[in-house]
Amino acid sequence: LESDVAKAIEASYKEVYGGKELMKYTAPGGSDMAFVHAKYGFETPWFGPGNHNGVAGSFENLSIDNYLKCIMVYMNTLVKLMSK
């Protein structure tokens, strides 16, 4: 991940999730990231509050803790970008 935004997201994710690596997908299923990677050739950070094992299924769920952590990632990313 090379852009300032992607680097800020990755750094924020590591801070909030205790050093855990951010998933970087080039073509997960039918997502927009598959199109972006095919057309422009770069990876896109992919994360959200849901349980990615059950996406779009009747058993899809998310935990409140993970939801709040994702909000913190977004907040930390904005602070990083705005303080440049």
Side-chain angles (χ1 to χ4, degrees):
L1 300 174
E2 298 178 21
S3 75
D4 288 343
V5 173
K7 288 177 183 176
I9 292 170
E10 188 167 35
S12 295
Y13 186 91
K14 283 182 179 179
E15 289 171 16
V16 171
Y17 284 90
K20 184 178 174 184
E21 288 291 322
L22 176 63
M23 290 190 294
K24 295 177 240 9
Y25 283 177
T26 55
S31 75
D32 292 341
M33 289 171 288
F35 168 78
V36 169
H37 183 263
K39 183 150 180 118
Y40 302 106
F42 60 84
E43 292 181 324
T44 306
W46 184 53
F47 74 99
N51 175 351
H52 299 299
N53 294 325
V55 173
S58 61
F59 49 89
E60 183 173 4
N61 63 74
L62 63 96
S63 73
I64 299 300
D65 181 58
N66 203 29
Y67 177 69
L68 295 174
K69 283 182 177 178
C70 284
I71 292 171
M72 290 189 65
V73 170
Y74 289 125
M75 289 183 347
N76 287 350
T77 299
L78 287 172
V79 168
K80 286 178 186 313
L81 293 170
M82 293 173 70
S83 63
K84 282 193 153 211

Coordinates of all heavy atoms in Angstrom, one line a residue:
L1 N 0.9 -1.2 0.0 CA 0.0 0.0 0.0 C 0.9 1.2 0.0 O 1.7 1.4 0.9 CB -0.9 0.0 1.2 CG -1.8 -1.2 1.3 CD1 -2.6 -1.2 2.6 CD2 -2.8 -1.3 0.2
E2 N 0.7 2.1 -1.0 CA 1.7 3.2 -1.2 C 1.1 4.6 -0.9 O 1.9 5.5 -0.6 CB 2.2 3.1 -2.6 CG 3.0 1.8 -2.8 CD 3.5 1.7 -4.2 OE1 3.7 2.8 -4.9 OE2 3.8 0.6 -4.7
S3 N -0.2 4.8 -1.0 CA -0.7 6.1 -0.9 C -0.7 6.6 0.6 O -0.7 5.7 1.5 CB -2.1 6.2 -1.4 OG -3.1 5.6 -0.5
D4 N -0.8 7.9 0.8 CA -0.8 8.4 2.2 C -2.0 7.9 2.9 O -2.0 7.5 4.1 CB -0.8 9.9 2.2 CG 0.5 10.5 1.8 OD1 1.5 9.8 1.8 OD2 0.6 11.7 1.5
V5 N -3.2 7.8 2.2 CA -4.4 7.3 2.9 C -4.2 5.9 3.3 O -4.6 5.5 4.4 CB -5.6 7.5 1.9 CG1 -6.9 6.9 2.5 CG2 -5.8 9.0 1.6
A6 N -3.8 5.0 2.3 CA -3.6 3.6 2.6 C -2.6 3.4 3.8 O -2.8 2.6 4.6 CB -3.1 2.9 1.4
K7 N -1.5 4.1 3.8 CA -0.5 4.0 4.9 C -1.1 4.4 6.2 O -0.9 3.8 7.2 CB 0.7 4.9 4.6 CG 1.6 4.3 3.5 CD 2.7 5.2 3.2 CE 3.6 4.7 2.0 NZ 4.6 5.6 1.6
A8 N -2.0 5.5 6.2 CA -2.6 5.9 7.4 C -3.6 4.9 7.9 O -3.7 4.7 9.1 CB -3.3 7.3 7.2
I9 N -4.4 4.3 7.0 CA -5.3 3.3 7.4 C -4.6 2.1 8.0 O -4.9 1.6 9.1 CB -6.2 2.8 6.2 CG1 -7.1 3.9 5.7 CG2 -6.9 1.5 6.5 CD1 -7.8 3.6 4.4
E10 N -3.5 1.7 7.4 CA -2.7 0.5 7.8 C -2.1 0.8 9.2 O -2.2 -0.1 10.1 CB -1.6 0.2 6.8 CG -0.9 -1.1 7.2 CD -0.1 -1.6 6.0 OE1 0.5 -0.8 5.3 OE2 0.0 -2.9 5.9
A11 N -1.6 2.0 9.4 CA -1.0 2.3 10.7 C -2.1 2.4 11.8 O -1.9 1.9 12.9 CB -0.3 3.7 10.6
S12 N -3.2 3.0 11.5 CA -4.3 3.1 12.5 C -4.8 1.7 12.8 O -5.1 1.4 14.0 CB -5.4 3.9 11.9 OG -5.0 5.3 11.7
Y13 N -4.9 0.8 11.8 CA -5.4 -0.5 12.1 C -4.5 -1.3 13.0 O -5.0 -1.9 14.0 CB -5.5 -1.3 10.7 CG -6.1 -2.6 10.8 CD1 -7.5 -2.8 10.7 CD2 -5.4 -3.8 11.1 CE1 -8.1 -4.0 10.7 CE2 -5.9 -5.0 11.2 CZ -7.3 -5.2 11.0 OH -7.9 -6.4 11.1
K14 N -3.2 -1.1 12.8 CA -2.2 -1.8 13.7 C -2.3 -1.3 15.1 O -2.2 -2.0 16.1 CB -0.8 -1.6 13.1 CG -0.5 -2.5 12.0 CD 0.9 -2.4 11.5 CE 1.3 -3.3 10.4 NZ 2.6 -3.1 9.9
E15 N -2.5 0.0 15.2 CA -2.6 0.6 16.6 C -3.8 0.1 17.3 O -3.7 -0.2 18.5 CB -2.7 2.2 16.5 CG -1.4 2.8 16.0 CD -1.5 4.3 15.7 OE1 -2.5 4.9 16.1 OE2 -0.6 4.8 15.1
V16 N -5.0 0.1 16.6 CA -6.2 -0.2 17.3 C -6.3 -1.7 17.5 O -6.8 -2.2 18.6 CB -7.4 0.2 16.4 CG1 -8.7 -0.3 16.9 CG2 -7.5 1.8 16.4
Y17 N -5.8 -2.5 16.6 CA -5.8 -4.0 16.7 C -4.6 -4.6 17.3 O -4.3 -5.8 17.1 CB -6.2 -4.6 15.4 CG -7.7 -4.5 15.1 CD1 -8.1 -3.4 14.3 CD2 -8.6 -5.4 15.5 CE1 -9.4 -3.2 14.0 CE2 -10.0 -5.2 15.2 CZ -10.4 -4.1 14.4 OH -11.7 -4.0 14.1
G18 N -3.8 -3.8 18.0 CA -2.6 -4.4 18.7 C -1.5 -5.0 17.8 O -1.0 -6.0 18.2
G19 N -1.2 -4.4 16.7 CA -0.2 -4.8 15.9 C -0.6 -5.8 14.8 O 0.2 -6.3 14.0
K20 N -1.9 -6.2 14.8 CA -2.4 -7.2 13.8 C -2.3 -6.6 12.4 O -2.5 -5.4 12.2 CB -3.8 -7.5 14.1 CG -4.5 -8.6 13.2 CD -5.9 -8.8 13.7 CE -6.6 -9.7 12.7 NZ -8.0 -10.0 13.1
E21 N -1.8 -7.4 11.5 CA -1.7 -6.9 10.1 C -3.1 -6.7 9.4 O -4.0 -7.6 9.6 CB -0.9 -8.0 9.3 CG 0.6 -8.0 9.6 CD 1.3 -6.7 9.2 OE1 1.0 -6.2 8.1 OE2 2.2 -6.3 10.0
L22 N -3.2 -5.7 8.7 CA -4.4 -5.4 7.9 C -4.4 -6.3 6.7 O -3.4 -6.5 6.0 CB -4.3 -3.9 7.4 CG -5.5 -3.4 6.5 CD1 -6.8 -3.5 7.3 CD2 -5.2 -2.0 6.1
M23 N -5.6 -6.9 6.4 CA -5.7 -7.7 5.2 C -5.6 -6.8 4.0 O -6.3 -5.8 3.9 CB -7.0 -8.5 5.2 CG -7.1 -9.5 6.2 SD -8.6 -10.6 6.0 CE -9.9 -9.5 6.4
K24 N -4.9 -7.2 3.0 CA -4.8 -6.5 1.7 C -5.2 -7.4 0.6 O -4.5 -8.4 0.3 CB -3.4 -5.9 1.5 CG -3.0 -4.9 2.6 CD -1.5 -4.5 2.3 CE -0.6 -4.7 3.4 NZ -0.4 -5.3 4.5
Y25 N -6.3 -7.2 0.0 CA -6.8 -8.1 -1.0 C -6.7 -7.4 -2.4 O -6.9 -6.2 -2.5 CB -8.3 -8.4 -0.7 CG -8.5 -9.4 0.4 CD1 -9.7 -9.8 0.7 CD2 -7.4 -10.0 1.0 CE1 -10.0 -10.7 1.7 CE2 -7.6 -11.0 2.0 CZ -8.9 -11.3 2.4 OH -9.1 -12.2 3.3
T26 N -6.4 -8.2 -3.3 CA -6.4 -7.7 -4.7 C -7.7 -8.1 -5.5 O -8.0 -7.4 -6.4 CB -5.2 -8.3 -5.5 OG1 -5.2 -9.7 -5.4 CG2 -3.9 -7.8 -4.9
A27 N -8.3 -9.2 -5.1 CA -9.5 -9.5 -5.8 C -10.5 -10.4 -5.0 O -10.7 -11.6 -5.3 CB -9.2 -10.2 -7.1
P28 N -11.0 -9.9 -3.9 CA -11.9 -10.8 -3.1 C -13.3 -10.8 -3.7 O -14.0 -9.8 -3.8 CB -12.0 -10.1 -1.7 CG -11.7 -8.7 -2.0 CD -10.8 -8.6 -3.2
G29 N -13.7 -11.9 -4.3 CA -15.0 -12.1 -4.8 C -15.4 -11.1 -5.9 O -14.6 -10.7 -6.7
G30 N -16.6 -10.5 -5.7 CA -17.1 -9.6 -6.7 C -17.0 -8.1 -6.2 O -17.8 -7.3 -6.6
S31 N -16.1 -7.9 -5.3 CA -16.0 -6.5 -4.7 C -15.4 -5.5 -5.7 O -14.9 -5.8 -6.7 CB -15.1 -6.6 -3.5 OG -13.8 -6.7 -3.8
D32 N -15.6 -4.3 -5.3 CA -15.0 -3.2 -6.1 C -13.5 -3.3 -6.2 O -12.9 -2.9 -7.2 CB -15.4 -1.8 -5.5 CG -16.8 -1.5 -5.6 OD1 -17.5 -2.1 -6.4 OD2 -17.3 -0.6 -4.9
M33 N -12.9 -3.9 -5.2 CA -11.4 -4.0 -5.1 C -10.9 -4.9 -6.3 O -9.8 -4.7 -6.8 CB -11.0 -4.5 -3.8 CG -11.1 -3.5 -2.7 SD -10.8 -4.2 -1.1 CE -12.2 -5.2 -0.8
A34 N -11.7 -5.9 -6.7 CA -11.3 -6.7 -7.8 C -11.2 -5.9 -9.1 O -10.3 -6.0 -9.8 CB -12.3 -7.9 -8.0
F35 N -12.2 -5.0 -9.2 CA -12.2 -4.1 -10.4 C -11.0 -3.2 -10.3 O -10.3 -3.0 -11.3 CB -13.5 -3.3 -10.5 CG -13.5 -2.2 -11.5 CD1 -13.6 -2.5 -12.8 CD2 -13.3 -0.9 -11.0 CE1 -13.6 -1.4 -13.7 CE2 -13.2 0.1 -11.9 CZ -13.4 -0.1 -13.3
V36 N -10.8 -2.5 -9.2 CA -9.7 -1.6 -9.0 C -8.4 -2.2 -9.3 O -7.5 -1.7 -10.0 CB -9.7 -0.9 -7.6 CG1 -8.5 -0.1 -7.4 CG2 -11.0 0.0 -7.5
H37 N -8.2 -3.4 -8.7 CA -6.9 -4.1 -9.0 C -6.7 -4.5 -10.4 O -5.6 -4.3 -11.0 CB -6.8 -5.4 -8.1 CG -5.5 -6.0 -8.2 ND1 -5.3 -7.1 -9.1 CD2 -4.3 -5.8 -7.7 CE1 -4.0 -7.5 -9.0 NE2 -3.4 -6.7 -8.2
A38 N -7.7 -5.0 -11.1 CA -7.6 -5.4 -12.5 C -7.3 -4.1 -13.3 O -6.5 -4.2 -14.3 CB -8.9 -6.0 -12.9
K39 N -7.9 -3.0 -13.1 CA -7.8 -1.8 -13.9 C -6.5 -1.0 -13.6 O -5.9 -0.6 -14.5 CB -9.0 -0.9 -13.8 CG -9.0 0.3 -14.7 CD -10.3 0.7 -15.0 CE -10.2 1.9 -15.9 NZ -10.7 1.7 -17.2
Y40 N -6.2 -0.9 -12.3 CA -5.1 0.0 -11.9 C -3.9 -0.7 -11.3 O -2.9 -0.1 -11.1 CB -5.6 1.1 -10.9 CG -6.7 1.9 -11.6 CD1 -8.0 1.7 -11.2 CD2 -6.4 2.8 -12.6 CE1 -9.0 2.5 -11.7 CE2 -7.4 3.6 -13.2 CZ -8.7 3.4 -12.7 OH -9.7 4.1 -13.3
G41 N -4.1 -2.0 -10.9 CA -3.0 -2.8 -10.4 C -2.5 -2.6 -9.0 O -1.3 -2.8 -8.7
F42 N -3.3 -2.0 -8.1 CA -2.8 -1.8 -6.7 C -3.8 -2.5 -5.7 O -4.9 -2.7 -6.0 CB -2.6 -0.4 -6.4 CG -3.8 0.5 -6.5 CD1 -4.7 0.6 -5.4 CD2 -4.0 1.3 -7.6 CE1 -5.8 1.4 -5.6 CE2 -5.1 2.1 -7.7 CZ -6.0 2.2 -6.7
E43 N -3.2 -2.9 -4.6 CA -3.9 -3.5 -3.5 C -4.7 -2.5 -2.8 O -4.4 -1.3 -2.7 CB -3.0 -4.2 -2.5 CG -2.3 -5.4 -3.1 CD -1.4 -6.0 -2.1 OE1 -0.8 -5.3 -1.2 OE2 -1.3 -7.3 -2.1
T44 N -5.8 -2.9 -2.1 CA -6.7 -2.0 -1.4 C -6.9 -2.6 0.0 O -7.1 -3.8 0.1 CB -8.1 -2.0 -2.1 OG1 -7.9 -1.6 -3.5 CG2 -9.0 -1.0 -1.4
P45 N -6.8 -1.8 1.0 CA -7.1 -2.3 2.4 C -8.5 -2.7 2.5 O -9.4 -2.0 2.0 CB -6.7 -1.1 3.3 CG -6.7 0.1 2.5 CD -6.5 -0.4 1.1
W46 N -8.8 -3.8 3.1 CA -10.1 -4.3 3.3 C -10.4 -4.7 4.7 O -9.8 -5.5 5.3 CB -10.3 -5.5 2.4 CG -11.7 -6.1 2.4 CD1 -12.9 -5.4 2.1 CD2 -12.1 -7.4 2.7 NE1 -14.0 -6.2 2.2 CE2 -13.5 -7.4 2.5 CE3 -11.5 -8.6 3.0 CZ2 -14.3 -8.6 2.7 CZ3 -12.2 -9.7 3.2 CH2 -13.6 -9.7 3.1
F47 N -11.3 -3.9 5.3 CA -11.7 -4.3 6.7 C -13.0 -3.6 7.0 O -13.5 -2.7 6.3 CB -10.6 -3.8 7.7 CG -10.7 -2.3 7.9 CD1 -11.3 -1.8 9.0 CD2 -10.0 -1.5 7.1 CE1 -11.3 -0.4 9.2 CE2 -10.0 -0.1 7.3 CZ -10.7 0.4 8.4
G48 N -13.7 -4.2 8.0 CA -15.0 -3.6 8.4 C -15.4 -4.4 9.6 O -14.7 -5.3 10.1
P49 N -16.5 -4.0 10.2 CA -16.8 -4.5 11.5 C -17.4 -5.9 11.5 O -17.5 -6.6 12.5 CB -17.9 -3.5 12.1 CG -18.5 -3.0 10.8 CD -17.4 -2.9 9.8
G50 N -17.8 -6.4 10.3 CA -18.5 -7.7 10.2 C -17.5 -8.9 10.3 O -16.3 -8.8 10.3
N51 N -18.1 -10.1 10.5 CA -17.4 -11.3 10.5 C -17.3 -11.7 9.0 O -18.3 -12.1 8.4 CB -18.2 -12.4 11.3 CG -17.6 -13.7 11.2 OD1 -16.6 -14.0 10.4 ND2 -18.1 -14.7 12.0
H52 N -16.1 -11.6 8.4 CA -15.9 -11.8 7.0 C -16.2 -13.2 6.5 O -16.3 -13.5 5.3 CB -14.6 -11.3 6.5 CG -14.3 -9.9 6.8 ND1 -15.1 -8.9 6.2 CD2 -13.5 -9.3 7.6 CE1 -14.7 -7.7 6.7 NE2 -13.7 -7.9 7.5
N53 N -16.3 -14.2 7.5 CA -16.6 -15.5 7.1 C -18.1 -15.7 6.7 O -18.4 -16.7 6.1 CB -16.2 -16.5 8.2 CG -14.7 -16.5 8.4 OD1 -14.0 -16.4 7.5 ND2 -14.3 -16.7 9.7
G54 N -18.9 -14.8 7.1 CA -20.4 -15.0 6.9 C -20.9 -13.9 6.0 O -22.1 -13.6 6.1
V55 N -20.1 -13.2 5.2 CA -20.6 -12.1 4.5 C -21.7 -12.5 3.5 O -21.6 -13.5 2.8 CB -19.4 -11.4 3.7 CG1 -19.9 -10.4 2.7 CG2 -18.4 -10.9 4.6
A56 N -22.8 -11.6 3.6 CA -24.0 -11.8 2.7 C -24.7 -13.1 2.9 O -25.5 -13.5 2.1 CB -23.6 -11.7 1.2
G57 N -24.5 -13.7 4.0 CA -25.3 -14.9 4.4 C -26.3 -14.6 5.4 O -26.3 -13.6 6.1
S58 N -27.2 -15.5 5.6 CA -28.3 -15.3 6.6 C -27.7 -15.3 8.1 O -28.3 -14.8 9.0 CB -29.3 -16.4 6.5 OG -28.7 -17.7 6.8
F59 N -26.5 -15.8 8.2 CA -25.8 -15.8 9.5 C -24.8 -14.7 9.7 O -24.0 -14.7 10.6 CB -25.2 -17.1 9.8 CG -24.3 -17.6 8.6 CD1 -23.0 -17.3 8.6 CD2 -24.9 -18.4 7.6 CE1 -22.2 -17.7 7.5 CE2 -24.1 -18.8 6.6 CZ -22.7 -18.4 6.5
E60 N -24.8 -13.7 8.8 CA -23.8 -12.6 8.9 C -24.0 -11.9 10.2 O -25.2 -11.6 10.6 CB -24.0 -11.6 7.7 CG -23.0 -10.5 7.7 CD -23.2 -9.6 6.4 OE1 -24.0 -9.9 5.6 OE2 -22.3 -8.7 6.3
N61 N -22.9 -11.5 10.9 CA -23.0 -10.8 12.2 C -21.8 -10.0 12.4 O -20.8 -10.0 11.7 CB -23.2 -11.9 13.3 CG -21.9 -12.8 13.4 OD1 -20.9 -12.4 13.8 ND2 -22.1 -14.0 12.9
L62 N -21.9 -9.2 13.5 CA -20.7 -8.4 13.9 C -20.8 -8.2 15.4 O -21.9 -8.2 16.0 CB -20.6 -7.0 13.1 CG -21.8 -6.0 13.3 CD1 -21.4 -5.0 14.4 CD2 -22.0 -5.3 12.1
S63 N -19.7 -8.0 16.0 CA -19.6 -7.7 17.4 C -19.6 -6.2 17.7 O -19.0 -5.5 16.8 CB -18.4 -8.4 18.1 OG -17.2 -7.7 17.8
I64 N -20.1 -5.8 18.8 CA -20.1 -4.4 19.1 C -18.6 -3.9 19.3 O -18.2 -2.9 18.8 CB -20.9 -4.1 20.4 CG1 -22.4 -4.5 20.2 CG2 -20.8 -2.6 20.8 CD1 -23.1 -3.7 19.1
D65 N -17.8 -4.8 19.9 CA -16.4 -4.4 20.1 C -15.7 -4.2 18.8 O -15.0 -3.2 18.6 CB -15.7 -5.6 20.9 CG -14.2 -5.3 21.1 OD1 -14.0 -4.2 21.8 OD2 -13.4 -6.1 20.7
N66 N -15.9 -5.1 17.8 CA -15.2 -4.9 16.5 C -15.8 -3.7 15.8 O -15.1 -3.0 15.1 CB -15.4 -6.2 15.7 CG -14.3 -6.3 14.6 OD1 -13.2 -5.8 14.8 ND2 -14.7 -6.9 13.5
Y67 N -17.1 -3.4 15.9 CA -17.7 -2.2 15.3 C -17.0 -1.0 15.9 O -16.7 -0.1 15.1 CB -19.2 -2.2 15.6 CG -20.0 -1.0 15.1 CD1 -20.2 -0.8 13.8 CD2 -20.5 -0.1 16.0 CE1 -20.9 0.3 13.3 CE2 -21.2 1.0 15.6 CZ -21.4 1.2 14.3 OH -22.1 2.3 13.8
L68 N -16.9 -0.9 17.2 CA -16.2 0.3 17.8 C -14.8 0.4 17.4 O -14.3 1.5 17.2 CB -16.4 0.2 19.3 CG -17.9 0.3 19.8 CD1 -17.9 0.1 21.3 CD2 -18.5 1.7 19.4
K69 N -14.1 -0.7 17.3 CA -12.7 -0.7 16.9 C -12.6 -0.1 15.4 O -11.7 0.6 15.1 CB -12.1 -2.1 16.9 CG -11.7 -2.4 18.4 CD -11.0 -3.8 18.4 CE -10.6 -4.2 19.8 NZ -10.0 -5.5 19.9
C70 N -13.5 -0.5 14.6 CA -13.4 0.0 13.2 C -13.7 1.5 13.2 O -13.0 2.2 12.4 CB -14.5 -0.7 12.3 SG -14.0 -2.4 11.9
I71 N -14.6 2.0 14.0 CA -14.8 3.4 14.1 C -13.5 4.1 14.6 O -13.1 5.2 14.0 CB -16.0 3.8 15.1 CG1 -17.3 3.3 14.4 CG2 -16.0 5.3 15.4 CD1 -18.5 3.3 15.4
M72 N -12.8 3.5 15.5 CA -11.5 4.1 16.0 C -10.5 4.1 14.9 O -9.7 5.0 14.8 CB -11.0 3.3 17.2 CG -11.9 3.6 18.4 SD -11.2 2.9 19.9 CE -9.7 3.9 20.1
V73 N -10.5 3.1 14.0 CA -9.5 3.1 12.9 C -9.8 4.3 12.0 O -8.9 5.0 11.6 CB -9.6 1.8 12.1 CG1 -8.8 1.8 10.8 CG2 -9.1 0.6 12.9
Y74 N -11.1 4.5 11.7 CA -11.5 5.6 10.8 C -11.1 6.9 11.5 O -10.5 7.8 10.8 CB -13.0 5.6 10.5 CG -13.4 4.5 9.6 CD1 -14.4 3.6 9.9 CD2 -12.8 4.4 8.3 CE1 -14.8 2.7 9.1 CE2 -13.3 3.4 7.4 CZ -14.3 2.5 7.8 OH -14.7 1.5 7.0
M75 N -11.4 7.1 12.8 CA -11.0 8.3 13.5 C -9.5 8.5 13.5 O -9.1 9.6 13.2 CB -11.6 8.3 14.9 CG -13.1 8.4 15.0 SD -13.8 8.4 16.7 CE -12.6 7.9 17.8
N76 N -8.8 7.5 13.8 CA -7.3 7.6 13.9 C -6.7 8.0 12.5 O -5.8 8.8 12.4 CB -6.7 6.4 14.4 CG -6.8 6.2 15.9 OD1 -7.3 7.0 16.6 ND2 -6.5 5.0 16.3
T77 N -7.3 7.4 11.5 CA -6.9 7.7 10.1 C -7.1 9.2 9.8 O -6.2 9.8 9.2 CB -7.6 6.8 9.1 OG1 -7.3 5.4 9.4 CG2 -7.2 7.1 7.7
L78 N -8.3 9.7 10.1 CA -8.5 11.1 9.8 C -7.6 12.0 10.6 O -7.0 13.0 10.0 CB -10.0 11.4 10.2 CG -11.0 10.9 9.3 CD1 -12.4 11.1 9.8 CD2 -10.9 11.5 7.9
V79 N -7.3 11.7 11.8 CA -6.4 12.5 12.6 C -5.0 12.5 12.0 O -4.3 13.5 11.9 CB -6.3 12.0 14.1 CG1 -5.1 12.6 14.9 CG2 -7.6 12.3 14.8
K80 N -4.5 11.3 11.6 CA -3.2 11.2 10.9 C -3.1 12.0 9.7 O -2.2 12.7 9.4 CB -2.9 9.7 10.6 CG -2.6 8.9 11.8 CD -2.3 7.4 11.3 CE -2.1 6.5 12.5 NZ -1.2 6.9 13.5
L81 N -4.2 12.0 8.8 CA -4.2 12.7 7.6 C -4.3 14.2 7.8 O -3.7 15.0 7.1 CB -5.2 12.1 6.7 CG -5.0 10.7 6.2 CD1 -6.3 10.2 5.5 CD2 -3.8 10.6 5.3
M82 N -5.1 14.6 8.8 CA -5.3 16.0 9.0 C -4.2 16.7 9.7 O -4.1 17.9 9.7 CB -6.6 16.2 9.8 CG -7.9 15.8 8.9 SD -9.4 15.8 9.9 CE -9.6 17.6 10.1
S83 N -3.3 15.9 10.3 CA -2.2 16.5 11.1 C -0.9 16.6 10.2 O 0.1 17.0 10.7 CB -1.9 15.7 12.4 OG -1.6 14.4 12.1
K84 N -1.0 16.2 9.0 CA 0.1 16.3 8.1 C 0.4 17.8 7.7 O -0.4 18.6 7.5 CB -0.1 15.5 6.8 CG 0.2 14.0 7.1 CD 0.3 13.3 5.8 CE 1.1 12.1 6.1 NZ 1.9 11.6 5.1

